[in-house]
Amino acid sequence: MKRFRIMGTHNYLKPFVPVAGVLVCVMVSQSLTAGMKSLDDSALASISGQSGLTMELDLNLAADRVSYFDDGNGLHLEGFRVGSATDPSGQAFHLVRVDIEEDASLNLDYLVEDRRIEFGDIRLAGAPGLSMGGVFFDHSLEGYLNIRQGGAVGGAGYTFDSAYTMTGGRLGYRTNGNEVFLDDITMNVEALGVTLDVVGNTLTLNAPRVTGDWEVGAIRYSGNPSNHGVSVDSATGGPLASYGSLSGNYELSSNTGITAGGRAGEGVRIDNETVIHSASFLYRDDGNALALRDITGAYRINDLRLDVAPDWQNRPALALSLGSMDGQFSIGAIEMGGNGKSIGQVNVSFLLEDQVFNGRSYSNAVYLQGGGHADAGPQGLRLATEWSLRLADFSYTEDGNRVIFSGLQSWGQGDVTVNVTRDELINGTEFFDGLRVGFEGVKAGYRINGLRVGSEDAPLQGGTELLLALGFYPAYEFELDGHVTLGAGGATGEGITINSDVRIQDGKAAIIAAPYNEGGGDIPQKGLWITELDYDAHVRDMTVDVTEEGLAIIKGEAWSTMDIGNLRVGDKESGQSFGRFVVQKYETGSSMTVIPGGAGDVCAGGMGSSAQACEASGGVWETRGEEGLTVRLKQVFAKAISETRKNALVWETNRQTDAAGNTLNGTGTRLVLNDIYTSDGGDFDGDGVDDNHFGMRTDLSVDVYQTRVVKKADGPDAMGVVGNRGDEKIMDGASAAGYRYVADPTAQEAENRPLGFAVKARSQFKELSINNIDLVHPVGGAQTAVYGVKMQNFDIKANLTATPIP
């Protein structure tokens, strides 16, 4: 059976009015020896039966270890303490008033001031010397709890009404003297009519309505071991660096079932159904907000098991394994920037469930272990993780038009480590200030079936390749190692600073991909693939801020090498290859800004800044609305400073093979474009070096909008719909195929042009240089074919809309 054990305890209880021995001692004295003083006559004389009972308690409780055992496996919470949040040796004040109401219900009004609940270490038996780290929770509470007989299914249960306000809250995580915590938390919660019943062998908790609002004044980081749960640095006297602040509200209802029994033997099973009736979430950075508003949704958790059990490598762990989980969420508006403008609406539906990918079965489980990264110190968190996203759809709606990223699947297995670190070099590993999320041996992948525009039953189409400029591939499989460290503070003030080192091996990514399922089951996904990919990337001092304009991401320095073993057409394993490509990038001061609002007014297929001028040039004037999304990219390609920090492109063909038929890199003929960099075209600041601030700039405006589609040939198309070359495609629900062709659409028919995924793009640079272009023969070596190339004043515009091809 499950066992709890508390060792090495002590507490200090101030003399109190009678009920101090009624409530707290019931909870405390049964498991530990409490040193209490008896009540004197004056204290007893203050009891009034007419006004109920009152308890005052000053509490400083400590335990060396609190242990939980499951099938003989132990989880130990060490350094447990309940006491003052401001004074490590002080006491937390508690006041409880107990009354019996006229309906025989028990009512408790309570006040808690300056309380900290803390665990210094969380350890697993069988993993000596390793800890998950420490957790602390500071708060003051004021509220009430009303308990009455009778639950949802009869008199044997209970019904609860509760409400409370929390102030002065802190919730922190600490490893090796460094900590990240939520500071200045305030919260208001009300839960009425909550019922607790035993149904069969299940403890059922039903909450028909829970409402609340909350705010986090700052998310802070400290790398000073002398600081612990304080907002001000003890060394400088200034406030600790902040990631920003959070706030939100919610109204939800839920039903939870708790049953004894783990995945094997002892443990706990949890089933839950929750409906989110309304919610909002806001992140603020120096007063500028990124807001998710009008959130609704529901989710269902089926057969979540909690065990103390080993992972797939037989390492001791706290195991959370999931049977399945499904749900859907809608975000009514995503607002950012100073004017609170919306980019549109988002809806997500998902199913997490066991599934076979690439011939291997995946499930959903997380195994929590101590230690984190081996060089970061003994404290940290390691999550041995496996996931199986069987199916998900992600839709984006702007100005009433909808595009659906359909059939998203993802799978993977590997270790994720979490440490709070500071800037230092340990055993050759470079650490940075902040919350470090590491990846060790993660083998994973994802794929998207395609786009649907308008509705779920719209035909599948391409278009995801239009997002390649943002680094998004329609399908990707990889092995991942490395880390991303999130530091506190942005370019100025609050925000986030990112440092990362990432290595991807044996990657396969689709540049263009056909659907993996066209309705008859899974089929091999065809496309244009980069395979045998080895990618090494590094980022230093990249800042993320919410600004007056939108979301700004600025790279301090970034360099990477992408070694593509084969660029294949067709099948990712056996398709014909264009050869090997190596792309090196080195950037300083590059940036990306995400701005609410799409392209606005566009002249598609013509030229002109007004509807009249556009139509006169043969174009179509499109008013794409207020919502949408614009991404402004600036890539500053710097001059080479080493063989690993430079911009270069290598194309290699005719490679030799080994005895097993594997190609050998470096044995073929290569075309090398070496040391590629941008420039402003001159030394305008007088420092003796050509300026390089403008870089290569690309503006991408994304909308979902109707577009003009014309037939390319006479006769029937692939769907059997007949038309002539040049006829327009007009959507018509009365037609068998859902559309027809019209030679000269009326204004009313033009309103039914097909929806498409529309991207308006503009790329420009002042000067782009290539230092040298070499031809490299495997025997004769390198010969420079071109000494220096300069291209100046490029300005390229494009307007692309992806629609289904019949």
Side-chain angles (χ1 to χ4, degrees):
M1 63 182 291
K2 294 174 284 298
R3 293 178 294 145
F4 291 88
R5 181 181 300 160
I6 302 178
M7 302 176 61
T9 61
H10 58 277
N11 62 60
Y12 305 95
L13 303 177
K14 176 182 177 180
F16 46 81
V17 187
V19 175
V22 177
L23 186 64
V24 171
C25 290
V26 168
M27 296 185 293
V28 176
S29 63
Q30 291 180 354
S31 300
L32 51 90
T33 303
M36 295 182 293
K37 297 181 180 180
S38 60
L39 301 176
D40 56 23
D41 292 340
S42 61
L44 291 171
S46 65
I47 298 175
S48 171
Q50 294 179 345
S51 61
L53 301 175
T54 299
M55 174 181 72
E56 291 185 14
L57 169 67
D58 287 326
L59 178 64
N60 184 14
L61 171 69
D64 295 336
R65 173 181 287 183
V66 178
S67 298
Y68 167 74
F69 294 92
D70 175 352
D71 293 315
N73 302 308
L75 174 68
H76 308 301
L77 308 179
E78 299 183 348
F80 172 60
R81 174 179 172 266
V82 180
S84 169
T86 57
D87 181 0
S89 61
Q91 301 169 340
F93 175 75
H94 298 68
L95 173 66
V96 180
R97 294 187 176 91
V98 184
D99 288 285
I100 305 298
E101 305 292 340
E102 292 182 357
D103 60 357
S105 64
L106 176 67
N107 191 78
L108 294 89
D109 293 308
Y110 56 87
L111 172 66
V112 178
E113 292 182 338
D114 186 34
R115 182 168 69 182
R116 170 170 294 179
I117 302 173
E118 181 171 20
F119 295 98
D121 279 299
I122 304 173
R123 300 182 185 273
L124 288 158
L130 297 177
S131 161
M132 295 185 192
V135 177
F136 63 92
F137 178 35
D138 301 346
H139 54 278
S140 294
L141 291 171
E142 184 174 9
Y144 75 89
L145 173 64
N146 182 273
I147 307 172
R148 55 189 180 273
Q149 187 75 27
V153 295
Y158 295 92
T159 298
F160 304 87
D161 293 330
S162 178
Y164 66 85
T165 295
M166 184 179 78
T167 58
R170 289 193 185 98
L171 177 62
Y173 176 59
R174 182 179 177 93
T175 69
N176 307 303
N178 312 306
E179 58 188 36
V180 169
F181 61 95
L182 308 181
D183 192 22
D184 191 21
I185 305 172
T186 59
M187 183 181 298
N188 298 290
V189 177
E190 182 181 68
L192 304 179
V194 179
T195 58
L196 180 67
D197 297 272
V198 177
V199 180
N201 61 352
T202 300
L203 185 66
T204 301
L205 183 68
N206 181 49
R209 180 177 179 271
V210 180
T211 62
D213 59 81
W214 56 275
E215 184 171 353
V216 177
I219 309 169
R220 300 194 184 275
Y221 162 80
S222 170
N224 182 353
S226 299
N227 298 328
H228 182 36
V230 293
S231 306
V232 176
D233 184 19
S234 62
T236 66
L240 295 173
S242 170
Y243 294 87
S245 60
L246 305 172
S247 63
N249 59 66
Y250 57 88
E251 178 182 350
L252 56 85
S253 56
S254 71
N255 187 282
T256 303
I258 304 174
T259 309
R263 193 65 62 192
E266 296 177 333
V268 179
R269 171 175 175 164
I270 300 174
D271 298 275
N272 174 269
E273 293 185 16
T274 296
V275 177
I276 303 172
H277 303 289
S278 66
S280 67
F281 175 87
L282 282 79
Y283 166 73
R284 287 188 174 87
D285 174 358
D286 295 317
N288 299 307
L290 171 61
L292 310 182
R293 300 191 186 276
D294 302 326
I295 302 172
T296 59
Y299 61 87
R300 180 175 54 190
I301 297 173
N302 176 52
D303 193 15
L304 173 64
R305 302 291 180 119
L306 178 65
D307 299 88
V308 181
D311 70 355
W312 60 83
Q313 297 185 48
N314 204 34
R315 296 174 296 186
L318 177 63
L320 290 86
S321 56
L322 178 67
S324 65
M325 179 178 179
D326 64 273
Q328 63 83 25
F329 298 95
S330 296
I331 302 174
I334 303 176
E335 301 172 356
M336 64 177 67
N339 58 8
K341 190 175 180 181
S342 173
I343 67 173
Q345 306 169 41
V346 168
N347 179 273
V348 179
S349 62
F350 65 92
L351 171 61
L352 291 164
E353 190 175 61
D354 295 359
Q355 174 72 322
V356 176
F357 296 100
N358 297 330
R360 176 181 172 182
S361 179
Y362 289 86
S363 61
N364 292 283
V366 177
Y367 297 84
L368 281 70
Q369 305 165 23
H373 189 277
D375 292 333
Q379 290 185 316
L381 188 62
R382 179 174 294 269
L383 296 87
T385 306
E386 182 176 313
W387 72 92
S388 171
L389 177 61
R390 183 163 187 166
L391 188 65
D393 287 342
F394 173 88
S395 69
Y396 170 61
T397 304
E398 57 96 8
D399 293 310
N401 300 319
R402 185 182 183 196
V403 61
I404 304 168
F405 294 80
S406 180
L408 171 63
Q409 295 183 324
S410 179
W411 59 94
Q413 185 186 71
D415 284 4
V416 177
T417 61
V418 180
N419 295 87
V420 188
T421 59
R422 56 180 174 268
D423 193 4
E424 56 187 338
L425 185 68
I426 305 176
N427 297 330
T429 302
E430 187 175 11
F431 294 99
F432 303 90
D433 288 345
L435 182 67
R436 185 187 192 274
V437 181
F439 311 98
E440 297 182 11
V442 177
K443 297 182 179 180
Y446 70 83
R447 61 185 182 181
I448 292 177
N449 208 26
L451 298 184
R452 300 182 190 271
V453 180
S455 64
E456 289 90 346
D457 57 358
L460 282 169
Q461 66 173 69
T464 54
E465 59 271 11
L466 298 178
L467 300 179
L468 287 172
L470 303 179
F472 178 82
Y473 298 100
Y476 203 176
E477 298 174 26
F478 51 86
E479 297 179 12
L480 172 65
D481 292 278
H483 79 97
V484 176
T485 301
L486 307 176
T492 58
E494 295 181 323
I496 303 172
T497 295
I498 298 177
N499 290 279
S500 71
D501 300 282
V502 171
R503 174 77 181 276
I504 290 176
Q505 300 178 79
D506 196 23
K508 301 178 183 68
I511 298 174
I512 301 172
Y516 64 79
N517 189 326
E518 296 178 333
D522 288 1
I523 57 176
Q525 202 167 11
K526 304 295 184 180
L528 179 63
W529 295 87
I530 55 177
T531 65
E532 294 85 52
L533 171 65
D534 193 326
Y535 180 55
D536 187 60
H538 310 269
V539 173
R540 296 292 181 267
D541 299 325
M542 181 171 77
T543 58
V544 181
D545 292 274
V546 181
T547 66
E548 186 74 18
E549 190 175 28
L551 183 67
I553 303 172
I554 303 173
K555 297 179 183 177
E557 184 182 32
W559 67 99
S560 64
T561 299
M562 177 182 285
D563 192 331
I564 302 167
N566 285 285
L567 178 62
R568 297 186 184 275
V569 178
D571 187 84
K572 62 187 176 185
E573 304 291 348
S574 59
Q576 293 295 309
S577 172
F578 285 99
R580 176 196 181 207
F581 291 83
V582 180
V583 181
Q584 291 181 267
K585 295 177 68 175
Y586 177 49
E587 303 174 56
T588 57
S590 294
S591 64
M592 178 174 73
T593 305
V594 181
I595 303 169
D601 295 335
V602 175
C603 181
M607 299 290 291
S609 58
S610 67
Q612 184 177 5
C614 177
E615 293 169 0
S617 69
V620 177
W621 186 255
E622 298 179 351
T623 302
R624 294 185 177 175
E626 295 296 320
E627 294 182 327
L629 183 67
T630 294
V631 180
R632 292 178 181 169
L633 302 170
K634 183 177 77 169
Q635 295 173 284
V636 180
F637 299 120
K639 283 187 176 182
I641 63 172
S642 69
E643 283 302 308
T644 58
R645 299 190 190 189
K646 68 176 182 179
N647 297 286
L649 173 64
V650 178
W651 178 25
E652 182 179 6
T653 61
N654 299 316
R655 289 169 291 173
Q656 299 177 15
T657 59
D658 61 17
N662 300 313
T663 55
L664 300 174
N665 293 337
T667 62
T669 303
R670 286 170 284 165
L671 173 66
V672 181
L673 281 65
N674 188 46
D675 195 9
I676 306 167
Y677 57 92
T678 54
S679 170
D680 294 349
D683 176 17
F684 302 109
D685 58 10
D687 64 355
V689 179
D690 282 358
D691 297 347
N692 193 5
H693 304 297
F694 190 86
M696 181 179 290
R697 300 191 179 187
T698 300
D699 292 350
L700 301 171
S701 297
V702 180
D703 294 273
V704 184
Y705 195 74
Q706 293 171 311
T707 191
R708 182 172 179 263
V709 178
V710 297
K711 202 168 186 301
K712 300 301 181 183
D714 295 339
D717 62 19
M719 299 292 292
V721 181
V722 178
N724 298 319
R725 177 184 172 87
D727 289 354
E728 271 203 54
K729 182 180 180 180
I730 300 299
M731 306 307 293
D732 185 350
S735 301
Y739 65 92
R740 56 191 170 88
Y741 291 108
V742 178
D744 187 16
T746 65
Q748 184 175 0
E749 288 173 326
E751 292 179 358
N752 292 317
R753 285 172 170 152
L755 283 172
F757 185 50
V759 177
K760 179 185 176 184
R762 180 183 183 184
S763 292
Q764 52 187 326
F765 59 81
K766 292 183 177 181
E767 184 172 282
L768 180 66
S769 301
I770 305 173
N771 188 70
N772 57 285
I773 301 176
D774 293 347
L775 294 172
V776 183
H777 191 273
V779 178
Q783 295 291 327
T784 299
V786 179
Y787 288 93
V789 175
K790 287 189 181 294
M791 294 170 282
Q792 295 181 330
N793 299 322
F794 269 50
D795 192 348
I796 304 171
K797 300 177 182 178
N799 186 42
L800 308 172
T801 303
T803 61
I805 300 177

